[in-house]
Amino acid sequence: PQEGTVEFTIIPQVGPVIPEDDPAYNDFTWGAPGTNGFLLRRFYDGTNWQVQAEYYTGSDKVDLNYTHSWVVGEGITVAFRWSSSGCAWLVNGEPRASDARTFEPPTTTEAYIGYRPFFRQGNALYDDLRISNIARSDDEIAEAYASGEPLSADQYTTYLMDFDNNLK
């Protein structure tokens, strides 16, 4: 929990329309955002569409936003990494936002893809989810994105799901 990386691809199934009552499509949730948790989502701020990483560390809220309009069916590859030197948010292999504050992982082990309890669902397809117990470097994340190949498991991978119709 002192460091790690969450990476996956979001394939939106609805255009960037303003959702009623909830301005976000929640793509990945870990813990209880708002108190002790973390989420990745596509969010409308009233002016722009953004892909956003949001986490709570103690009494502090950290938003890492990147303005990005998406196209239905076009994949958006995202990565969030954290370590003792802070955290970073990468979109399509490029660093987009970072913060020096330390991410304190949630105390719960529950995580959801495409879902956040009591909030709007992601309304997307997902591919290549990899969770690692190290903070992967910008270069490593960019190289994986540029390869066009599915993410692979290594000694630092704690979970890999390639969504290829099998559970191996």
Side-chain angles (χ1 to χ4, degrees):
Q2 292 77 21
E3 66 178 277
T5 308
V6 174
E7 304 165 88
F8 63 97
T9 297
I10 305 162
I11 306 166
Q13 298 301 295
V14 63
V17 297
I18 301 172
E20 291 181 27
D21 303 326
D22 185 354
Y25 293 100
N26 294 281
D27 294 307
F28 186 86
T29 307
W30 177 18
T35 55
N36 176 246
F38 161 71
L39 64 93
L40 299 174
R41 63 188 178 173
R42 288 162 287 133
F43 179 81
Y44 184 69
D45 70 1
T47 304
N48 297 303
W49 281 96
Q50 302 175 355
V51 284
Q52 177 185 56
E54 175 183 296
Y55 69 91
Y56 294 79
T57 179
S59 62
D60 217 1
K61 176 184 171 191
V62 179
D63 287 325
L64 300 175
N65 298 326
Y66 171 63
T67 299
H68 182 88
S69 287
W70 61 88
V71 176
V72 171
E74 181 179 293
I76 305 165
T77 301
V78 297
F80 175 76
R81 67 171 162 76
W82 68 93
S83 69
S84 60
S85 60
C87 61
W89 176 231
L90 294 87
V91 178
N92 292 338
E94 295 290 325
R96 300 300 184 184
S98 63
D99 197 285
R101 288 175 279 187
T102 304
F103 170 62
E104 295 173 20
T107 53
T108 180
T109 58
E110 292 177 346
Y112 304 94
I113 188 160
Y115 177 73
R116 179 180 178 195
F118 312 109
F119 289 86
R120 181 176 299 286
Q121 315 305 343
N123 204 349
L125 300 175
Y126 299 94
D127 203 3
D128 287 344
L129 169 65
R130 178 170 66 179
I131 301 172
S132 305
N133 61 10
I134 62 164
R136 296 191 183 268
S137 70
D138 290 356
D139 289 343
E140 191 174 4
I141 293 168
E143 185 177 301
Y145 173 75
S147 76
E149 296 295 318
L151 294 171
S152 60
D154 59 21
Q155 70 269 29
Y156 305 110
T157 304
T158 58
Y159 189 77
L160 177 67
M161 180 171 271
D162 53 17
F163 298 93
D164 68 351
N165 292 325
N166 76 60
L167 297 176
K168 293 181 181 181

